[in-house]
Amino acid sequence: MTSKGRVTIREVAERAGVSMATVSRVLSGNHPVPASTRARVLRAARDLDYVANAHARALVGGGRKMVAVVLRQVTSPFYAQVAEGVEAEAAARGWLCLVGTTGGDPGRELEFVQLMREEGARLVILVGGVVEDDAYRERVAHYAQALASSGARLVLCGRPAPDPDIPALVVEFDNEAGARAITGHLLSAGHRRIVFLGGLPGNTALDARVAGYRAALAEHGLGPEAAHVVDCGLGRAAGHRAMTELLKSGGNLGPGDCATPDADTLDTSTPGTSTPGTTAPGTTTPDTGPARFTAVFAGDDMVAAGALRAIADAGLRVPQDISVVGYNDIPLAEDFNPPLTTVRTPAEELGRAAVRIALRDPEHAAGAHHLLGTHIVVRDSVQPPPPGP
């Protein structure tokens, strides 16, 4: 559906065949109305995509300056930092901040958008990459247009717009450049057999990281067969499971090995969701030329945490036997054993910028794109690979 302007209460009344006063009573919920009439009015409002005028509610004390931030989960350090940035910037401007979680369900995310639209939120911020399909793209475009028609803004934070023409502000960081840089760091240390652990096909954030990983390998003269992506999902448990299986296989990789996630690996820490795969996480294709990996690029720091535990459980050492790097630089990364070399993403600034840019220039924010930078934080989890057999 394409929004052509705000639907009025008069149009709802005409569709339902009742008076405007009756529509008002039904929508306010403060007056008794026959059940059949109420059902007719609500059906008309739903069919017309009617949303009560937040400015009119404000005149009678019901409206507030409100920003809503929608996250996969609040327990992830990355998401928590983004939400903290949104809250801090909103509070500094006298706005209220509401936080909703989706568990990685795009349908739930979009239901939250609709609720916040009905409640009159001026900004609705969706955080983190997702696995997108055509239905998701269509619904995001519709809600962006619907929010814009009511004077509100949709902000995509840490993900690209499904369509560059939709009226949504995009504030993200350069996932591909960060991944290219951290892979280059491993290559500069002498590693040539590097596993990417934690892919999630279709996820906007992780696809960019995999692209950066592949680009760095190519820049150092390595062919496509040098890339080894384990699509195990996200979170500490997924990283531990996949690394355990990889080590049990003897650490040998065939050219271009790729595993797929099972339903239990769609866990905690960074943006996205996925669909169940048919191959156990960490399982690789048959070797056609054994090459033991010497380094792991984890899709995020929580995957790295699981990988570190699995490596230690196998009696191996980081970085003496295997080097490990992560992504995001969560606060605990420097307390890992050993302290983790990783990519610092500006998580809190991402949240602050989403609010600041949207409120600074609301007339031109829609459709704008802002890209924040990343950088490597070097700690103690990387050293040159051990001598070959």
Side-chain angles (χ1 to χ4, degrees):
M1 180 187 301
T2 300
S3 177
K4 297 180 180 179
R6 177 183 291 278
V7 175
T8 66
I9 195 171
R10 182 185 299 278
E11 292 173 279
V12 176
E14 291 174 353
R15 171 68 70 93
V18 299
S19 69
M20 292 171 58
T22 298
V23 173
S24 180
R25 292 189 193 102
V26 170
L27 297 179
S28 69
N30 294 328
H31 303 278
V33 178
S36 60
T37 301
R38 175 181 175 81
R40 197 161 69 249
V41 169
L42 293 177
R43 187 184 311 114
R46 184 170 57 251
D47 291 345
L48 293 171
D49 196 28
Y50 173 78
V51 176
N53 190 321
H55 302 297
R57 286 203 307 269
L59 292 176
V60 295
R64 294 177 182 269
K65 293 180 178 180
M66 180 168 59
V67 53
V69 57
V70 187
L71 315 163
R72 178 184 173 89
Q73 59 190 20
V74 293
T75 54
S76 157
F78 171 82
Y79 285 123
Q81 286 180 286
V82 175
E84 185 173 340
V86 171
E87 163 63 25
E89 193 69 27
R93 296 166 182 270
W95 285 50
L96 294 177
C97 178
L98 298 180
V99 178
T101 62
T102 68
D105 180 356
R108 182 174 171 84
E109 176 180 84
L110 293 169
E111 288 174 2
F112 197 92
V113 172
Q114 176 67 1
L115 174 63
M116 290 299 97
R117 181 177 169 230
E118 293 168 356
E119 292 299 318
R122 307 283 186 84
L123 295 179
V124 177
I125 302 174
L126 307 184
V127 181
V130 294
V131 175
E132 296 176 320
D133 56 20
D134 290 341
Y136 173 83
R137 284 187 283 269
E138 182 179 348
R139 292 179 69 182
V140 166
H142 165 63
Y143 284 121
Q145 292 158 352
L147 286 166
S149 74
S150 63
R153 291 286 179 268
L154 178 66
V155 183
L156 301 177
C157 190
R159 71 173 71 167
D163 182 333
D165 295 327
I166 72 170
L169 167 66
V170 175
V171 182
E172 60 178 334
F173 50 84
D174 197 336
N175 270 300
E176 184 170 344
R180 191 164 60 246
I182 198 73
T183 306
H185 180 71
L186 289 171
L187 290 161
S188 295
H191 295 277
R192 293 297 180 269
R193 299 187 295 276
I194 304 167
V195 175
F196 185 97
L197 191 71
L200 211 55
N203 179 281
T204 53
L206 289 171
D207 279 354
R209 294 177 196 177
V210 170
Y213 159 75
R214 293 183 184 275
L217 295 177
E219 288 168 3
H220 283 73
L222 300 177
E225 70 281 357
H228 304 283
V229 179
V230 179
D231 292 330
C232 63
L234 290 173
R236 184 184 182 281
H240 183 272
R241 186 182 302 114
M243 179 55 63
T244 298
E245 292 300 319
L246 199 55
L247 292 170
K248 282 182 179 178
S249 75
N252 294 327
L253 300 171
D257 291 332
C258 181
T260 55
D262 67 14
D264 295 331
T265 66
L266 308 180
D267 198 13
T268 62
S269 76
T270 52
T273 181
S274 184
T275 54
T278 57
T279 306
T283 303
T284 61
T285 56
D287 289 336
T288 57
R292 186 181 182 281
F293 68 91
T294 62
V296 174
F297 174 6
D300 74 357
D301 292 342
M302 294 306 293
V303 173
L308 289 171
R309 181 71 266 168
I311 292 168
D313 289 346
L316 299 173
R317 300 166 299 164
V318 175
Q320 292 88 344
D321 299 308
I322 301 172
S323 291
V324 177
V325 299
Y327 209 103
N328 284 336
D329 193 28
I330 63 173
L332 286 175
E334 63 182 331
D335 296 321
F336 288 177
N337 184 23
L340 186 68
T341 292
T342 185
V343 176
R344 177 169 295 169
T345 57
E348 183 174 343
E349 175 56 21
L350 198 67
R352 285 183 173 273
V355 176
R356 185 172 61 248
I357 295 169
L359 297 184
R360 182 181 64 203
D361 193 6
E363 295 304 317
H364 297 92
H369 184 276
H370 297 264
L371 191 66
L372 307 182
T374 61
H375 65 271
I376 297 174
V377 178
V378 177
R379 297 195 178 101
D380 302 330
S381 62
V382 175
Q383 73 175 36

